[in-house]
Amino acid sequence: MAKKSGSPMLATADDEKNLDKKSARTRVRILDAAAQVLSAKGYAGMRLGDVAEVAEVQAPAIYYYFSSREELIEEVMWVGLADMRAYLATALEQAPEDADGLERILIAVGAHLRHELEISDYATAVIRNGGQLPDKIRERQQQEEKKYGAVWRELFQSAAKAGEIRSDLDPYVAQMLVMGTVNWTAEWWQPGRVSIDRVVANAQAFVRNALAPTA
């Protein structure tokens, strides 16, 4: 009897890999759709039917990847914060070697705004819904919030220690005021009215004038 070409075991493994890849792509598509819907409609207004429509899947298929609406929202919020932190870290790593503490804060302002307004529905979902979620699904979000906040805290503390921001400012209060300002931008910015470049330039000038030591 002639041998069959190929190995049934290898073929099965290849099929499983292809299925895994397809499954992973579908899961990401559902997450992307959930971020978009959560960003636009908020926690209370998000419906799995809307997510399914955007993701182009049947609504029951969502439960294959996420056990509940809350688990899906929790994942969106965590991914959003983790991506923001990674994007900010990359922007700071690429900063000029001679950038002082204030300049690094301005780089962070620009990175946060671009990620929030231009790059990620996840970031907008996080900013608009962070305070609306029930405590039972906020644990991972809060842990990632602390990590993201720690990056900003180090920026302000280092700048204050080096005398690169005003000595009459409390670094923590200044940090929270700046972060609150850039977060609120997601609520009023309209793409057709003003460009992101202009928003970033104005925000950086605003923060520089607020923090820079007086002559």
Side-chain angles (χ1 to χ4, degrees), residues 152-166:
W152 283 86
R153 184 166 60 252
E154 194 278 331
L155 290 172
F156 274 81
Q157 289 179 346
S158 294
K161 187 175 181 179
E164 293 162 344
I165 63 175
R166 288 168 43 182

Side-chain angles (χ1 to χ4, degrees), residues 64-210:
Y64 176 80
Y65 301 93
F66 302 95
S67 63
S68 65
R69 172 179 177 272
E70 286 69 27
E71 183 183 342
L72 175 57
I73 291 173
E74 179 189 29
E75 186 73 5
V76 168
M77 300 293 284
W78 181 83
V79 169
L81 283 162
D83 282 352
M84 286 176 69
R85 184 163 62 93
Y87 187 81
L88 176 58
T90 299
L92 293 171
E93 289 171 0
Q94 296 173 349
E97 292 184 4
D98 60 349
D100 64 21
L102 179 54
E103 289 168 336
R104 288 177 62 81
I105 290 173
L106 299 182
I107 290 170
V109 167
H112 184 102
L113 284 170
R114 291 189 185 279
H115 195 266
E116 168 190 3
L117 302 179
E118 184 177 41
I119 296 173
S120 176
D121 284 324
Y122 290 82
T124 311
V126 167
I127 291 165
R128 288 180 171 171
N129 296 281
Q132 301 180 30
L133 306 186
D135 290 340
K136 64 181 181 180
I137 63 172
R138 288 197 65 199
E139 184 176 350
R140 290 176 71 205
Q141 172 199 341
Q142 290 174 329
Q143 291 174 354
E144 195 60 37
E145 280 178 351
K146 290 178 181 179
K147 294 176 183 178
Y148 188 67
V151 177
W152 283 86
R153 184 166 60 252
E154 194 278 331
L155 290 172
F156 274 81
Q157 289 179 346
S158 294
K161 187 175 181 179
E164 293 162 344
I165 63 175
R166 288 168 43 182
S167 60
D168 61 322
L169 296 177
D170 181 299
Y172 172 74
V173 174
Q175 170 200 333
M176 298 307 291
L177 288 170
V178 169
M179 293 185 71
T181 299
V182 295
N183 281 342
W184 185 250
T185 308
E187 298 297 332
W188 59 260
W189 179 70
Q190 298 177 4
R193 185 173 182 181
V194 59
S195 70
I196 289 179
D197 289 342
R198 180 169 291 187
V199 172
V200 169
N202 275 260
Q204 289 175 328
F206 181 84
V207 173
R208 180 185 291 279
N209 289 330

